[in-house]
């Protein structure tokens, strides 16, 4: 309960519902704004309480929606990589997640999905039956960076956003699948 950001790797369209399925609470998702234009997809995204995000523009409206939901005690899933992986490997984090982390007071839980790229990569038309798993890490608070961000220069603030995003990606990379699963990458 309470506000929380779940920060997950992103290898497949399966990741958002899979990460959310392991929770016993309502969750908010981010989705590319253009996806809301498709009738069925848009309906599903609205039902999932998705926040439209303009990946091409400034995204101030999306950031405001994210922060409003967090201030109201909500939970939101974000993907530090910004988009689905092209090869199934973890990609570098983008600073956008760091901005949301620093502007909020929410703890951040690193999350890693396994097997979703093999089940439904961006190159596949239909999903395949594969073993998939989700691993949730320990919450991170970023208190030191949040305090520093209140008084630092603009240049340092940009570095802080990237540093927070990089720290989350490092925590995601350290998550390993359950020990008795040997068929995950």
């Amino acid at each position: 309960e309470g506000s929380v950001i779940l920060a997950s790797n992103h290898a497949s369209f399966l990741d958002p519902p899979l990460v959310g399925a392991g929770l016993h609470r309502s969750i908010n998702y981010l989705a590319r704004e253009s996806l809301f234009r498709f009738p069925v997809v848009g309906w599903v995204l609205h039902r999932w309480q998705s926040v439209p995000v303009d990946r091409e523009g400034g995204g101030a409206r999306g950031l405001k929606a994210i922060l409003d939901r967090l201030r109201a005690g909500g939970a939101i899933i974000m993907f530090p990589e910004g988009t689905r992986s092209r090869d199934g490997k973890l990609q570098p984090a983008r600073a956008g997640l760091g901005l949301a982390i620093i502007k909020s007071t929410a703890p951040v839980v690193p999350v890693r999905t396994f097997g979703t790229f093999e089940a439904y990569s961006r190159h596949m038309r239909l999903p395949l039956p594969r073993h998939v798993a989700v691993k949730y890490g320990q919450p991170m608070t970023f208190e030191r960076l949040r305090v520093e961000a209140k008084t630092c220069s603009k240049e340092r603030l940009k570095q802080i956003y990237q540093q927070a995003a990089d720290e989350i990606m490092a925590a995601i990379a350290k998550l390993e699948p359950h020990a008795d699963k040997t068929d995950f990458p």
Side-chain angles (χ1 to χ4, degrees):
E1 56 185 58
S3 63
V4 65
I5 297 171
L6 292 132
S8 177
N9 64 309
H10 199 14
S12 168
F13 279 134
L14 300 174
D15 297 331
L18 187 62
V19 170
L23 306 176
H24 301 289
R25 65 177 291 177
S26 177
I27 190 81
N28 294 272
Y29 299 89
L30 300 182
R32 190 174 63 234
E33 194 171 38
S34 61
L35 292 175
F36 285 81
R37 292 184 218 142
F38 298 100
V40 174
V41 173
W43 180 82
V44 169
L45 292 174
H46 282 291
R47 300 271 305 159
W48 284 356
Q49 302 175 38
S50 297
V51 176
V53 177
D54 178 9
R55 286 182 24 207
E56 315 310 322
R61 196 172 69 228
L63 178 63
K64 182 184 180 326
I66 290 166
L67 295 175
D68 286 347
R69 291 179 191 200
L70 290 170
R71 279 188 210 105
I76 194 153
I77 295 176
M78 298 182 74
F79 298 99
E81 298 156 300
T83 190
R84 287 170 292 140
S85 172
R86 293 193 180 281
D87 60 6
K89 294 181 173 74
L90 296 177
Q91 306 300 306
R94 295 185 181 179
L97 173 68
L99 172 65
I101 289 169
I102 299 303
K103 295 284 186 188
S104 78
T105 58
V108 185
V109 175
V111 181
R112 187 165 179 187
T113 61
F114 298 92
T116 59
F117 183 80
E118 293 75 18
Y120 194 32
S121 75
R122 66 178 14 202
H123 310 292
M124 297 175 173
R125 295 194 71 152
L126 296 170
L128 299 172
R130 297 288 186 267
H131 289 283
V132 295
V134 179
K135 180 82 174 214
Y136 300 88
Q138 294 298 311
M140 301 168 70
T141 61
F142 295 95
E143 290 306 319
R144 186 183 57 75
L145 289 178
R146 286 174 172 152
V147 168
E148 183 183 350
K150 291 178 182 179
T151 59
C152 70
S153 69
K154 263 188 156 178
E155 183 179 316
R156 174 63 184 139
L157 189 57
K158 288 180 184 180
Q159 293 171 350
I160 287 173
Y161 295 157
Q162 188 63 55
Q163 181 179 343
D166 290 343
E167 287 180 21
I168 282 292
M169 279 308 297
I172 291 169
K174 289 179 184 175
L175 295 173
E176 295 293 329
H178 194 271
D180 65 358
K181 298 292 182 189
T182 57
D183 55 340
F184 294 116

